[in-house]
Amino acid sequence: MTSPLHAAISGAASVGLGVGAALLFEGAGMPLPWMLGPLFLFAMLSLTGMGPTGRGKGLRLGLPVGLRVVFVPVIGVMIGARITPDIATEVARWWPSLLIVVPYMVVVQLINAAILRRLGGYDRPTAFFAASPGGLVEAVLIGEANGGNGPLMSMQHFARLTLSVSVIPLLLSLEMGQPVGVVPPDDSLASGIEGIFDVLLMAAAGVAGVYLGRGLHIPAAIMLGPLLLSAIIHATGMTEAQIPDALLKAAQLVIGTTLGARFAGPSTRDLLRGLGLAVLALGFSLSVALGLAVMTAGLGLAEAEVAFIAFAPGGLIEMGLIAIALDADPVFVATHHVMRIGLAVTIAPWLYRMLHARPRG
């Protein structure tokens, strides 16, 4: 059993190393340094046996998984804080791109399932639900209910998510000609919260939103619940406060660190195979997302970069955090990812049964 002193030393060392990696990436001009720096560092530590699940007797580095649960509602509040009173008009304009999410989700799911089935040798339910372009937890649970291999599906989704978080900022940096997601020290968010009322109001939105989301049994409840309540208090003009830059960096650090630590679970062979398959599947998914982003920009619904993040097959939490860091209309991005997760939870099981139902008699 890990002693409290050992856990405290490990946590302090992990935070220090994560901050160091973020500063190193920032100094090197890398995109989204406060997420990608810790992610790559702790991925390497996990692969060398120094991650939180390592078997050796040395110091186990990594942050508690529960800390991610604390910062996910913060991301929801951040996105909700970007909502203005004219949000209803904006959402009404987005219906064409929201409709596009339906065929996008179906095509990506079927092609990626074929990649995992034929090239990866996965069984049918595992390949199908591991190919889901969103809703990691929900897809794995539904896949297990249909006979899929839970650990294998989890690993494949993790590989997709990690590659998405790493590749998308790099692609956007190449497109824009400069590192994206590097927030200057004097960013206006740093002085966004004014007064104890605003602090208490946004904290209440985060805490109450978690309970609301869980009570309603919605996907990604601990993020969408706070997002909804934060949206309400900002859309109604109760507050115009924003989350300060320091908290944004802390959220990126925690998400990056906990993502990197997940490399400690699968065997090296399974992980390499999963990453290889994820490269192929992600390449196809991003190609489709790029085409849809250009189409969406042509319709005047959003800038191409914003639409690309909205259609990219990353997680709601991670893509939302990238959108916040890039100031890439996080509300537009989150709305489309919520739509995709909802489809993954509702349409995917029906589609699987329709395609693979066994004839009676």
Side-chain angles (χ1 to χ4, degrees):
M1 177 180 286
T2 304
S3 68
L5 178 60
H6 186 278
I9 294 174
S10 174
S14 299
V15 170
L17 288 170
V19 170
L23 293 174
L24 181 63
F25 268 52
E26 193 171 64
M30 298 294 288
L32 216 62
W34 285 84
M35 180 188 289
L36 296 187
L39 191 159
F40 281 99
L41 172 64
F42 282 90
M44 289 188 293
L45 291 174
S46 296
L47 289 173
T48 59
M50 295 182 64
T53 60
R55 297 181 179 179
K57 296 182 179 179
L59 188 65
R60 293 287 153 255
L61 296 170
L63 297 177
V65 178
L67 197 57
R68 178 184 171 94
V69 178
V70 172
F71 277 92
V72 168
V74 173
I75 300 170
V77 173
M78 287 181 186
I79 295 176
R82 301 299 182 94
I83 290 179
T84 59
D86 59 351
I87 183 61
T89 304
E90 287 297 312
V91 173
R93 290 181 55 250
W94 299 341
W95 67 264
S97 59
L98 288 171
L99 285 179
I100 293 173
V101 174
V102 181
Y104 165 74
M105 176 266 172
V106 173
V107 170
V108 166
Q109 177 116 19
L110 293 179
I111 297 299
N112 286 347
I115 291 173
L116 298 179
R117 179 96 167 112
R118 296 180 181 277
L119 301 181
Y122 292 178
D123 60 65
R124 185 171 290 155
T126 299
F128 186 86
F129 291 101
S132 176
L136 187 156
V137 175
E138 294 81 6
V140 171
L141 291 175
I142 295 171
E144 287 181 328
N146 285 273
N149 183 320
L152 200 55
M153 288 186 290
S154 298
M155 185 272 298
Q156 198 62 53
H157 277 288
F158 162 66
R160 167 186 59 83
L161 180 58
T162 303
L163 287 175
S164 296
V165 170
S166 303
V167 169
I168 290 170
L170 290 172
L171 292 176
L172 292 173
S173 295
L174 292 174
E175 168 64 22
M176 298 180 181
Q178 62 182 2
V180 297
V182 181
V183 183
D186 60 345
D187 187 83
S188 60
L189 290 181
S191 58
I193 295 184
E194 298 176 359
I196 190 63
F197 174 76
D198 288 331
V199 174
L200 293 176
L201 193 60
M202 295 182 76
V207 175
V210 171
Y211 288 99
L212 174 66
R214 287 176 171 171
L216 295 176
H217 302 289
I218 58 178
I222 64 173
M223 179 176 173
L224 292 184
L227 190 159
L228 177 62
L229 292 189
S230 179
I232 291 173
I233 64 176
H234 283 84
T236 55
M238 295 176 65
T239 179
E240 296 180 356
Q242 299 290 321
I243 296 292
D245 172 52
L247 201 53
L248 173 58
K249 288 182 175 179
Q252 291 182 43
L253 187 146
V254 170
I255 298 301
T257 299
T258 51
L259 271 178
R262 292 186 185 180
F263 277 88
S267 67
T268 303
R269 179 184 177 184
D270 285 344
L271 186 59
L272 290 176
R273 180 178 67 161
L275 286 172
L277 292 169
V279 167
L280 297 175
L282 182 64
F284 171 75
S285 301
L286 290 181
S287 298
V288 177
L290 178 60
L292 295 179
V294 172
M295 181 189 303
T296 301
L299 293 173
L301 301 176
E303 295 181 3
E305 293 82 2
V306 173
F308 180 65
I309 301 172
F311 286 109
L316 169 63
I317 296 167
E318 291 76 15
M319 293 298 104
L321 195 52
I322 288 175
I324 293 170
L326 273 56
D327 196 22
D329 198 346
V331 178
F332 180 90
V333 171
T335 301
H336 286 72
H337 278 278
V338 169
M339 177 77 169
R340 182 163 49 79
I341 291 174
L343 291 173
V345 173
T346 55
I347 291 183
W350 170 82
L351 184 63
Y352 177 78
R353 288 192 294 269
M354 183 186 72
L355 294 174
H356 306 297
R358 295 179 179 178
R360 298 181 179 179

